[in-house]
């Protein structure tokens, strides 16, 4: 790898730099089609959600674990660590401060990974569209697979969204991790334009 | 192919059968808990899909050699436990690599995986990993006391450390089982098993709402797949061990499934009924009544049965 591919990691102290990745994410080609189809089926039937509520919409996510909705029957589970999760949920408006955490958590997840947004705010800012500290379009900072609209979407809508996400994964349409790797420079530039105090690694796997 | 080659093949078959059986038991546990909570719960094939998905992840990272070796040691502990336990009594091939003194070896293998995992998980660097490890090792030290007492009691009773000989001594009717000849040792061991299986109230290691999710916090992709495979194999191995030591072993697979399932139900029923202990409560628990019952079992074996 040439030196221009290396990340600057300017935000880190010299001691911290060796703890983090010095190479950007890479595009990973899918496996031969029959195997990839089978893996996509497994990925769609085993969705591990990162239990990280970023905004008010996360409150509508909790009922999915209860007896009334029970998302476990659809192969959807909560996972407490980004390492093991495959679905990241942006649960409503994303403030500048939260965007930092969103980026760090998303980058720690292992591919293939999927991003779902809840509510209107991540799409166009919603009722916070002119707020000084809220992001209007989250898809400028992360590749989004599916957006569930509403203010806020009810648990039924969220379940319907997950069913749709599963169909898309099975069809091989959710390749966000590769999209992120391909357009890494663009995403990173957008993120750095918003996050002024960049005191974290440039790519933190 | 010589007898050793055949034996290796049959041991591999046993591993696959026990792995599948362990995964089904795990799903059965999750399903039962869901039903108790009024939910439908996961489909029975969910653990299989989870494992396939984890092995099929496209990226994986390592925090160092020990981090990489952690799940390897854990899986070695699970497989090692199983391959030295005779699964089917009297069967030449399904008796695996049972040797004289295998009981001690198996007890060592039960420790081995957890110690290996402790070394590996701490290299991940996540603060929850050492907390989970400290809890796990503390609980292991506690439940090993009644378990070791029960093992010593039956070693005295049958005058051997060979699992095959212990099973052989229990043949000849239901009343020959250790469960009836030395019930104290069996109760102490079953209480220790509740801790070993780490279901509520002894689920302090993974403890999802406290230290999400303990030692495997940094493990992902194929590492996690290995840990899940081990969990299934290890669960089945422990059940087979308990069946052999205390419930007369099994001479065919239907009997094995029936007996191990019944032993597993102890964990399921207790798990569904009780909330989680705190770490200090679980340690105190094992060092009180189970230990006393274990000592009674030991004295009973020493002064009454011999």
């Amino acid at each position: 790898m040439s030196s221009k591919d290396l990340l600057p990691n300017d935000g880190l102290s010299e001691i911290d730099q060796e703890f983090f990745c010095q190479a950007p994410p890479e595009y990973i080609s899918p496996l031969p089609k029959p195997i990839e189809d089978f893996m996509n089926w497994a990925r769609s039937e085993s969705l591990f959600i990162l239990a990280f509520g970023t905004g008010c919409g996360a409150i509508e996510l909790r009922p999915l674990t209860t007896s009334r909705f029970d998302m476990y029957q659809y192969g959807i589970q909560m996972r407490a660590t980004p390492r093991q999760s495959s679905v990241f949920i942006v649960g409503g408006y994303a403030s500048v401060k939260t965007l930092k955490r969103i980026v760090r958590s998303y980058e720690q997840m292992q591919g293939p990974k999927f991003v779902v947004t809840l509510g209107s705010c991540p799409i166009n800012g919603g009722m916070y569209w002119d707020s000084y500290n809220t992001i209007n379009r989250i898809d400028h900072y992360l590749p989004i697979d599916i957006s569930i609209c509403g203010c806020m979407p009810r648990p039924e809508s969220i379940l319907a969204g997950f069913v749709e996400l599963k169909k898309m994964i099975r069809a091989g349409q959710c390749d966000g991790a590769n999209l992120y790797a391909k357009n890494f420079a663009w995403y990173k530039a957008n993120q750095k334009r918003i996050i002024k105090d960049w005191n974290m690694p440039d790519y933190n796997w | 192919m010589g007898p050793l080659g055949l034996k290796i093949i049959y041991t591999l078959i046993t591993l696959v059968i026990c792995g599948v059986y362990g995964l089904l038991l795990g799903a059965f546990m999750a399903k039962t808990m869901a039903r108790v909570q009024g939910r439908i719960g996961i489909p029975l094939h969910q653990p299989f899909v989870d494992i396939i998905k984890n092995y099929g992840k496209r990226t994986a990272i390592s925090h160092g050699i020990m981090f990489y070796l952690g799940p390897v040691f854990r899986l070695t502990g699970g497989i090692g436990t199983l391959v030295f336990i005779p699964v089917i009594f009297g069967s030449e091939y399904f008796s695996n690599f049972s040797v004289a003194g295998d009981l001690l070896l198996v007890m060592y293998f039960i420790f081995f995986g957890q110690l290996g995992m402790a070394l590996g998980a701490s290299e991940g660097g996540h603060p929850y990993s050492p907390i989970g490890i400290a809890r796990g090792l503390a609980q292991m030290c506690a439940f090993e006391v009644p378990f070791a007492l029960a093992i010593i009691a039956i070693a005295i009773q049958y005058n051997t450390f060979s699992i095959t000989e212990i099973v052989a001594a229990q043949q000849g009717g239901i009343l020959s089982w250790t469960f009836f000849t030395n019930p104290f040792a069996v109760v102490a061991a079953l209480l220790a098993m509740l801790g070993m299986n780490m279901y509520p109230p002894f689920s302090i290691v993974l403890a999802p709402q406290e230290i999400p999710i303990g030692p495997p916090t940094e493990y992902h992709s194929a590492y996690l797949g290995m840990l899940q495979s081990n969990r299934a194999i290890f669960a089945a191995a422990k059940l087979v061990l308990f069946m052999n030591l205390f419930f007369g072993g099994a001479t065919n697979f239907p009997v094995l499934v029936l007996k191990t399932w019944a032993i597993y139900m102890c964990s399921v029923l207790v798990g569904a009924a009780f909330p989680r202990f705190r770490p200090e409560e679980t340690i105190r628990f094992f060092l009180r009544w189970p230990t006393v019952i274990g000592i009674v079992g030991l004295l009973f074996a020493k002064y009454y049965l011999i």
Side-chain angles (χ1 to χ4, degrees):
Chain A
M1 185 176 286
S2 68
S3 60
K4 73 178 171 51
D5 295 329
L6 294 178
L7 301 168
N9 277 338
D10 289 336
L12 298 176
S13 68
E14 229 171 86
I15 301 170
D16 284 348
Q17 292 216 0
E18 63 183 83
F19 294 123
F20 293 98
C21 176
Q22 296 292 335
E26 287 174 2
Y27 180 91
I28 297 171
S29 309
L31 298 163
K33 193 169 182 325
I35 306 174
E36 189 64 21
D37 284 351
F38 175 66
M39 294 316 300
N40 278 338
W41 168 80
R43 284 163 194 152
S44 73
E45 290 301 315
S46 168
L47 295 173
F48 288 5
I49 300 176
L50 177 59
F52 171 39
T54 64
C56 47
I59 199 78
E60 296 289 344
L61 207 56
R62 306 296 178 254
L64 293 183
T65 59
T66 60
S67 55
R68 182 155 181 174
F69 301 104
D70 187 28
M71 63 181 179
Y72 294 92
Q73 61 181 305
Y74 303 109
I76 308 166
Q77 307 172 29
M78 290 282 191
R79 218 64 184 180
T81 157
R83 293 291 189 210
Q84 299 176 2
S85 312
S86 57
V87 180
F88 189 89
I89 294 192
V90 182
Y93 67 89
S95 67
V96 173
K97 209 170 173 181
T98 318
L99 183 66
K100 213 170 177 178
R101 278 75 186 172
I102 290 176
V103 169
R104 286 204 72 165
S105 308
Y106 176 75
E107 289 181 351
Q108 284 182 54
M109 289 165 61
Q110 301 301 311
K113 47 192 173 184
F114 318 108
V115 181
V116 177
T117 67
L118 303 185
S120 314
C121 302
I123 303 172
N124 57 14
M127 61 191 284
Y128 303 102
W129 67 277
D130 58 350
S131 166
Y132 69 98
N133 68 346
T134 305
I135 314 301
N136 279 358
R137 289 191 58 175
I138 194 78
D139 62 343
H140 281 187
Y141 313 97
L142 293 177
I144 305 297
D145 291 292
I146 195 162
S147 294
I148 304 168
C149 304
C151 186
M152 287 308 302
R154 298 245 329 126
E156 292 92 333
S157 323
I158 301 178
L159 272 183
F162 275 123
V163 171
E164 196 58 37
L165 176 71
K166 287 167 85 166
K167 280 186 203 159
M168 287 170 64
I169 295 172
R170 273 200 287 272
Q173 294 168 349
C174 298
D175 208 6
N178 274 340
L179 194 68
Y180 192 70
K182 235 178 182 173
N183 304 314
F184 187 63
W186 183 74
Y187 281 117
K188 211 37 71 177
N190 287 349
Q191 291 163 6
K192 286 191 173 177
R193 205 167 47 240
I194 297 293
I195 304 170
K196 301 295 181 200
D197 56 333
W198 188 274
N199 56 355
M200 56 189 199
D202 280 332
Y203 183 63
N204 91 61
W205 54 259
Chain B
M1 188 181 290
L4 182 66
L6 266 179
K7 203 159 189 166
I8 290 173
I9 289 174
Y10 274 99
T11 304
L12 290 175
I13 294 172
T14 314
L15 271 175
V16 173
I17 293 173
C18 286
V20 170
Y21 182 53
L23 285 175
L24 282 174
L25 282 178
F28 175 76
M29 173 76 175
K31 192 96 182 158
T32 310
M33 296 293 250
R35 290 291 182 179
V36 170
Q37 293 162 3
R39 296 186 287 115
I40 293 170
I42 59 168
L44 282 177
H45 64 269
Q46 188 68 46
F48 298 92
V49 183
D50 290 346
I51 285 189
I52 294 169
K53 184 204 72 171
N54 282 325
Y55 279 120
K57 281 265 189 188
R58 286 182 186 160
T59 55
I61 58 150
S62 171
H63 291 286
I65 297 285
M66 272 319 294
F67 180 81
Y68 181 78
L69 288 178
V72 177
F73 283 163
R74 196 83 174 97
L75 191 58
T76 310
I79 294 175
T81 310
L82 186 62
V83 296
F84 290 105
I85 300 174
V87 174
I88 301 291
F89 176 69
S91 161
E92 194 183 338
Y93 296 112
F94 287 113
S95 60
N96 291 343
F97 291 93
S98 176
V99 288
D102 50 5
L103 188 51
L104 287 178
L105 195 59
V106 164
M107 281 191 78
Y108 171 73
F109 267 117
I110 291 176
F111 288 136
F112 177 77
Q114 301 208 11
L115 293 175
M117 181 65 189
L119 288 171
S122 17
E123 203 173 16
H126 198 286
Y128 286 135
S129 298
I131 297 175
I133 290 162
R135 286 174 169 216
L137 293 181
Q139 177 168 281
M140 191 172 78
C141 291
F143 71 64
E144 279 297 328
V145 175
F147 184 59
L149 285 168
I151 296 292
I152 296 167
I154 60 168
I156 292 173
Q157 183 180 343
Y158 298 116
N159 201 23
T160 177
F161 271 115
S162 160
I163 300 175
T164 309
E165 284 179 27
I166 291 172
V167 180
Q170 295 177 65
Q171 302 305 307
I174 208 168
L175 290 176
S176 314
W177 295 0
T178 319
F179 184 69
F180 292 101
T181 53
N182 189 352
F184 303 107
V186 177
V187 170
L190 282 179
L191 287 171
M193 186 197 72
L194 296 179
M196 236 181 255
N197 282 347
M198 293 191 184
Y199 287 127
F202 305 107
S203 56
I204 60 166
V205 179
L206 296 180
Q209 293 82 17
E210 292 172 30
I211 49 164
I213 51 172
T217 306
E218 280 290 306
Y219 283 109
H220 54 272
S221 307
Y223 305 113
L224 186 62
M226 281 174 83
L227 292 178
Q228 287 171 322
S229 317
N230 168 71
R231 200 171 164 81
I233 293 172
F234 197 41
K238 278 183 294 190
L239 291 174
V240 173
L241 177 69
F242 273 74
M243 176 195 74
N244 280 340
L245 295 182
F246 307 118
F247 297 93
T251 47
N252 53 50
F253 273 106
V255 172
L256 176 128
V257 169
L258 194 68
K259 285 186 179 175
T260 49
W261 183 82
I263 300 169
Y264 192 72
M265 280 306 285
C266 300
S267 269
V268 174
L269 292 177
V270 173
F274 290 96
R276 187 186 305 138
F277 274 150
R278 288 181 189 164
E280 65 270 22
E281 285 174 334
T282 155
I283 291 160
R284 276 195 212 120
F285 173 85
F286 286 117
L287 296 181
R288 282 179 184 164
W289 285 111
T291 303
V292 172
I293 297 168
I295 293 170
V296 173
L298 188 66
L299 296 175
F300 187 70
K302 174 77 182 153
Y303 295 107
Y304 184 77
L305 293 177
I306 296 181

